[in-house]
Amino acid sequence: MPAFDNQPLQAIRSAFLDFTDDPFYTAESDSVRYISDGLLIVENGIITDFGEYNTLRSQYAHIPITTYPDRLIMPGFIDTHVHYSQYEMIAAYGEQLLEWLSKYVFPTERKFKDKAHAEKIATLFFDELIKQGTTTALVFATVHPESVDAFFEEASRRNLRMISGKVLMDRNAPDYITDTPETAYEDSKKLIQKWHKNGRLLYAVTPRFAPTSTPEQLHTVAKLLQEFPDIYLQTHISENKKEVAWVAELFPESQGYLDVYDRAGLVGEKSIFAHGIHLTDAEFERLSNAKSAIAFCPTSNLFLGSGLFKLTQAKSSQHPVKVGFGTDVGAGTSFSILHTAHEAYKVAQLQGESLSAFKALYLATLGGAKALSLEDKIGNFNPGKEADFIVLDPKATTLMATRNQSFPAQSLEELAQPLFGLMMLGDDRAIQAVYIAGKLAHSLAAI
Ligand code: GUN
Ligand code: ZN
């Protein structure tokens, strides 16, 4: 199936919110774009025009308009870190990272040797992602090549822009779930050749984290990155104090956690590191210089008791680091990016800071796209971008309708309050419709 096939010209009218720049560095008036009565024009799955309804209406008078009154349309949400294989073990009780991995994660991931199981979970995963308004994600599969095939086959059927890869682990995990440097290399290479840039799909080489890869395996990862320079690298870093101490023991010659990856040649512009709770100042600086990204996963960091991510430090002017939101299910407790933004607000509050809805929703859209080096394709409504967008209902429940009486908003200033209400109270009930490459992929029945 071609990713962007022949579709008639479409026009969608509603209120629109997106970002043209980063509100962490640029005033909201110059970075947030709110059009209270706008028109989005889509042709063959690509945005071809966008602006005020009154300005564009005469130009498109010949095409039927789909109108969403009293709704807010945003670019599809972007999840920069999630494990599809952990769908079925979300909310596992009582442990922190290392014990949680051994007790719950590894036995669950073992099942993905069976392609039929992987297919079943991939279908459930995408159903859930879409109903939560997430249209792009950077996703861990498992060590089994079958898990990657199942994932990409289902993503391809749904024409989603997705990034994933086979997990690499050659030590400190049960035999039933490990590979070797050689099989890691050979299997990854075949999967890259099969899936990278196949339609909207992209490949990420995926060493799980430093403790489960030998230095030899990390070097095979570097070899893959050299052979295929436009693929991604995804892994975990500095999530938990015991993990950080273990990495220091396992790699005594390294100057710190990030240095383990750096010495192997894994720290670059298309590297996305999940968590980074315990990064040092020097490590933040190095990530900034390397233009690498961090996936901020607040629901996971609170659930596993890992700690509080220093968003203000990551988004400093001196050493800015690209940041996106990650749900990190199954350590994360929700697939909802609205929930993730809600918990990010609380993580900021615990550090004496306030995360505005505009900043949070920037991380959920254009910020996530930049973290994934996809800002030329997704993340806002600029013409030329792929038409992945969601229709939000800020009054989806009785409570939300009462809290958000001031919506629809006529101006950016008026939007701030109901938007914060949506971020703090919203979930899948607020995601009324989801469009993928211009096609309606999900719609809530009228309540
Ligand atoms: N570190 C290594 N593997 C994992 C994982 O599956 N989840 C989380 N949250 N951290 C990890
Ligand atoms: Zn993770």
Side-chain angles (χ1 to χ4, degrees):
M1 183 179 70
F4 300 97
D5 51 359
N6 273 339
Q7 287 171 31
L9 208 57
Q10 291 180 77
I12 292 107
R13 180 181 179 189
S14 191
F16 289 85
L17 172 68
D18 73 344
F19 300 85
T20 54
D21 209 335
D22 185 339
F24 284 87
Y25 304 109
T26 304
E28 283 170 358
S29 52
D30 293 324
S31 55
V32 187
R33 177 163 55 183
Y34 178 58
I35 304 184
S36 61
D37 184 12
L39 195 67
L40 183 74
I41 307 295
V42 176
E43 190 171 9
N44 299 333
I46 302 288
I47 295 166
T48 56
D49 210 347
F50 175 56
E52 298 277 352
Y53 171 75
N54 276 336
T55 313
L56 296 179
R57 62 195 285 186
S58 57
Q59 222 177 309
Y60 297 100
H62 57 292
I63 37 173
I65 294 180
T66 305
T67 304
Y68 287 103
D70 299 341
R71 298 291 184 266
L72 180 68
I73 298 189
M74 288 193 64
F77 292 146
I78 297 172
D79 185 345
T80 64
H81 182 73
V82 59
H83 301 252
Y84 96 87
S85 56
Q86 295 173 16
Y87 177 100
E88 58 186 310
M89 50 125 313
I90 190 169
Y93 176 74
E95 304 293 349
Q96 298 211 347
L97 177 65
L98 300 177
E99 298 76 17
W100 172 85
L101 280 173
S102 303
K103 185 166 169 183
Y104 298 113
V105 173
F106 295 152
T108 304
E109 294 195 357
R110 178 181 201 169
K111 298 190 218 167
F112 286 71
K113 171 105 196 77
D114 173 9
K115 175 102 187 277
H117 178 77
E119 285 168 352
K120 183 181 113 191
I121 301 292
T123 300
L124 294 170
F125 171 80
F126 286 120
D127 285 350
E128 181 68 24
L129 228 61
I130 291 167
K131 89 177 209 205
Q132 299 288 359
T134 297
T135 51
T136 287
L138 173 60
V139 183
F140 271 55
T142 69
V143 75
H144 316 95
E146 296 84 350
S147 74
V148 181
D149 283 334
F151 177 86
F152 279 136
E153 282 161 14
E154 188 57 31
S156 170
R157 268 192 282 281
R158 297 172 191 240
N159 198 20
L160 286 160
R161 186 162 280 291
M162 283 286 150
I163 316 173
S164 186
K166 177 192 125 61
V167 169
L168 314 179
M169 293 198 270
D170 67 345
R171 66 168 167 176
N172 292 322
D175 287 348
Y176 62 70
I177 209 174
T178 49
D179 55 10
T180 67
E182 293 72 33
T183 59
Y185 175 80
E186 292 302 330
D187 288 345
S188 300
K189 187 167 179 165
K190 278 189 217 138
L191 290 165
I192 293 164
Q193 287 165 336
K194 186 166 175 189
W195 293 113
H196 186 58
K197 296 190 170 167
N198 180 337
R200 302 185 78 195
L201 308 175
L202 297 162
Y203 197 87
V205 60
T206 307
R208 176 169 224 117
F209 67 156
T212 47
S213 286
T214 59
E216 295 73 55
Q217 186 169 67
L218 295 179
H219 282 105
T220 65
V221 173
K223 201 166 152 207
L224 288 165
L225 292 174
Q226 279 154 17
E227 277 177 60
F228 302 95
D230 62 354
I231 59 171
Y232 293 87
L233 176 287
Q234 62 173 341
T235 190
H236 297 90
I237 194 166
S238 297
E239 177 178 3
N240 165 289
K241 284 191 176 150
K242 261 167 85 176
E243 171 209 13
V244 176
W246 193 23
V247 170
E249 267 173 44
L250 290 169
F251 296 88
E253 69 292 351
S254 284
Q255 304 279 306
Y257 202 148
L258 183 63
D259 192 48
V260 172
Y261 297 137
D262 221 351
R263 283 172 188 239
L266 311 189
V267 181
E269 276 196 42
K270 292 183 98 175
S271 305
I272 296 96
F273 297 97
H275 307 299
I277 301 291
H278 306 288
L279 290 172
T280 64
D281 295 352
E283 288 175 322
F284 272 112
E285 192 174 333
R286 171 68 187 129
L287 289 173
S288 172
N289 291 336
K291 300 193 170 67
S292 301
I294 300 177
F296 171 24
C297 309
T299 76
S300 164
N301 299 154
L302 297 172
F303 180 73
L304 288 182
S306 304
L308 305 177
F309 179 63
K310 296 177 198 136
L311 181 61
T312 301
Q313 181 166 9
K315 299 292 291 180
S316 78
S317 298
Q318 213 188 350
H319 303 296
V321 180
K322 292 185 285 182
V323 177
F325 278 137
T327 60
D328 194 31
V329 169
T333 48
S334 171
F335 282 97
S336 166
I337 290 290
L338 290 174
H339 269 169
T340 306
H342 164 140
E343 295 297 317
Y345 179 80
K346 295 178 183 170
V347 166
Q349 283 286 69
L350 283 165
Q351 299 174 88
E353 286 147 13
S354 301
L355 176 64
S356 75
F358 291 126
K359 286 180 176 164
L361 291 172
Y362 167 81
L363 295 180
T365 57
L366 188 61
K370 287 189 177 172
L372 301 182
S373 305
L374 286 175
E375 69 271 26
D376 59 330
K377 297 193 171 59
I378 54 172
N380 68 13
F381 295 123
N382 286 354
K385 296 223 186 173
E386 299 167 0
D388 293 340
F389 57 91
I390 61 179
V391 182
L392 293 143
D393 181 0
K395 295 179 166 175
T397 66
T398 305
L399 176 64
M400 289 174 75
T402 311
R403 161 64 173 80
N404 280 344
Q405 284 172 53
S406 63
F407 189 83
Q410 296 314 310
S411 65
L412 190 61
E413 294 68 38
E414 272 180 44
L415 181 65
Q417 272 306 323
L419 193 68
F420 184 64
L422 172 64
M423 159 176 147
M424 296 310 291
L425 301 173
D427 53 31
D428 52 322
R429 294 168 296 177
I431 311 293
Q432 190 181 330
V434 178
Y435 286 76
I436 297 169
K439 287 192 183 149
L440 185 64
H442 170 69
S443 182
L444 280 186
I447 302 169

